Every structure is written in structure tokens, then in C-alpha cells.
Amino acid sequence: DVKVTQSSRYLVKRTGEKVFLECVQDMDHENMFWYRQDPGLGLRLIYFSYDVKMKEKGDIPEGYSVSREKKERFSLILESASTNQTSMYLCASSLGPEIYGYTFGSGTRLTVV
Amino acid sequence: TQLLEQSPQFLSIQEGENLTVYCNSSSVFSSLQWYRQEPGEGPVLLVTVVTGGEVKKLKRLTFQFGDARKDSSLHITAAQPGDTGLYLCAGAAGSARQLTFGSGTQLTVLP
């Protein structure tokens, strides 16, 4: 069964810590995405990548960076975690979003205290 | 930035009732998708519609893409408790490599 795996389901970090969220897909997809999901705000795109070592900013990239050294892995980095980054983080991959849509991971619920 | 507005935001109904969820935009989309998300999980793709006026059926769920490709609806017939979840619409526009999501409709079907 094809899937997107996020390394942690729940994570609690302290303000100022550097946080790594890992995402791995086994479908050989070129496109990978990081979203955050907050009540009333829907899914907001942080960063996406359409090829190895390529990255593009989404709608809310401030405070985040990403790394894609291998096709199957897309990492989201919170350089210095803040309480307003407490959220559900969703990783997705796609063969082509327009026709094939996204396959999402189960999400990482991050709490910054 | 293309926006997708979903309505209603919350919907609570009894088992067996019918319901419709709407997804509207002022922008044209090349395709539109519907996802369902259950608590603690990521969204799961239900359907993709690509042609204006297209209607797709998935068991008790009927999806329609507007003629002008700016809006879509999801109709559920005889809702069941297993239909409970967050329903999200998402659109692909032109050459954009990513999807724009609506804010979602939280559906609760009571037994």
C-alpha cells in the first residue's frame, strides 16, 4: 500500500528549540508539500518541492525552512520554535496535483511550550 | 491568490438525512477535488472533477463541478455515522503546481 510517513504523530518542544519534521514517501513522486492546519484557517501551504534540491515558498514560509536531499524525503525545519507554531503539520506528495491529487501523511501535532 | 469558500462550516444531521456541501470561488480552476479527513489522520482524496458540468458518483456521494469551473458541490444521500468527518475541497489553477484548499465543512452524523 503506497503511503506517506511522517516520523512523529505527537511532538512537544520548547520555545527556541530547532525542530525537524520528517516526511518519507514510497511512491516515487516528484512533488512534495508541507501544510499546517489550524481550526478555522484550513490548510495553509508552507513550502513545496517539485524536484530533489528544489524548493519553493508557499503562503506562510516565515519561520520555516525545508530540505530535500533525496526524492523520497522532505524535511520541514522550524529554526527557532515559537508558540504560534503550535499546529497540526501535514506532509503530502503527488504525481501531479491537478489530476492525481495529494496523498497525505497522518500528520504531526506539534505543541511548542 | 485563489480562494475557495466552503459552506456550511459546521453541519450536524441525523442518520438517514440528505445534505449538500458547497465550494465556491471567483476564480476558474482546471480541476477540483474533494477530500475527507477523520480525527488524527490526514485528508484522503475522494474524487477529482476536471470538466465543467461534470458529475461523479461514489456510492451515496455525488460530486458536481460547476459549468464555469468556479464552484463544486458534494451531496450525500441517506447519511450514515461513518460519513462523519471534515470535508475539504481543493482546486488546481492553471500552471500552479499546488492545490488551494477550502476551510472545510465539519460534518457530524448522529445515529
Side-chain angles (χ1 to χ4, degrees):
Chain A
D1 204 13
V2 294
K3 58 183 176 182
V4 175
T5 302
Q6 293 184 232
S7 54
S8 304
R9 293 296 296 268
Y10 300 93
L11 214 51
V12 180
K13 296 291 182 180
R14 295 193 179 278
T15 301
E17 279 192 76
K18 191 169 186 176
V19 181
F20 294 84
L21 302 183
E22 306 288 346
C23 176
V24 177
Q25 51 100 357
D26 65 358
M27 295 165 283
D28 202 34
H29 288 169
E30 292 182 343
N31 305 286
M32 296 188 75
F33 308 83
W34 276 106
Y35 285 83
R36 64 177 285 177
Q37 184 176 30
D38 301 287
L41 297 177
L43 274 73
R44 293 181 290 167
L45 181 63
I46 305 172
Y47 267 97
F48 65 103
S49 168
Y50 53 87
D51 202 353
V52 175
K53 297 191 184 294
M54 302 298 289
K55 60 185 179 184
E56 287 200 23
K57 293 180 179 179
D59 298 320
I60 52 164
E62 297 78 18
Y64 303 94
S65 63
V66 290
S67 173
R68 191 156 181 211
E69 296 297 319
K70 294 184 177 182
K71 191 175 186 179
E72 66 269 21
R73 185 180 298 270
F74 193 34
S75 303
L76 179 69
I77 304 155
L78 285 66
E79 297 292 343
S80 177
S82 63
T83 55
N84 63 11
Q85 292 179 310
T86 291
S87 186
M88 169 70 94
Y89 288 87
L90 289 165
C91 175
S93 73
S94 178
L95 185 59
E98 183 179 357
I99 299 299
Y100 300 101
Y102 290 169
T103 301
F104 282 93
S106 297
T108 295
R109 184 163 294 281
L110 172 68
T111 302
V112 182
V113 297
Chain B
T1 301
Q2 288 97 356
L3 295 176
L4 279 167
E5 295 184 0
Q6 282 188 243
S7 62
Q9 188 176 357
F10 298 96
L11 190 55
S12 181
I13 62 171
Q14 293 294 136
E15 183 176 1
E17 292 183 357
N18 302 331
L19 67 112
T20 303
V21 176
Y22 299 94
C23 178
N24 296 292
S25 176
S26 58
S27 303
V28 175
F29 290 92
S30 55
S31 72
L32 205 137
Q33 297 159 10
W34 287 91
Y35 293 78
R36 180 169 66 211
Q37 184 178 21
E38 298 186 7
E41 297 296 331
V44 175
L45 178 65
L46 297 175
V47 76
T48 300
V49 285
V50 297
T51 306
E54 182 176 3
V55 177
K56 280 192 174 179
K57 292 192 175 184
L58 186 66
K59 296 184 180 178
R60 293 176 294 100
L61 279 62
T62 302
F63 305 86
Q64 185 162 8
F65 201 10
D67 291 339
R69 306 208 320 272
K70 293 183 179 181
D71 56 86
S72 181
S73 64
L74 158 60
H75 182 79
I76 301 179
T77 303
Q80 299 177 359
D83 296 325
T84 293
L86 178 67
Y87 288 82
L88 296 159
C89 65
S95 60
R97 293 175 178 266
Q98 71 277 8
L99 300 176
T100 297
F101 282 84
S103 56
T105 294
Q106 182 63 54
L107 171 65
T108 302
V109 182
L110 303 169

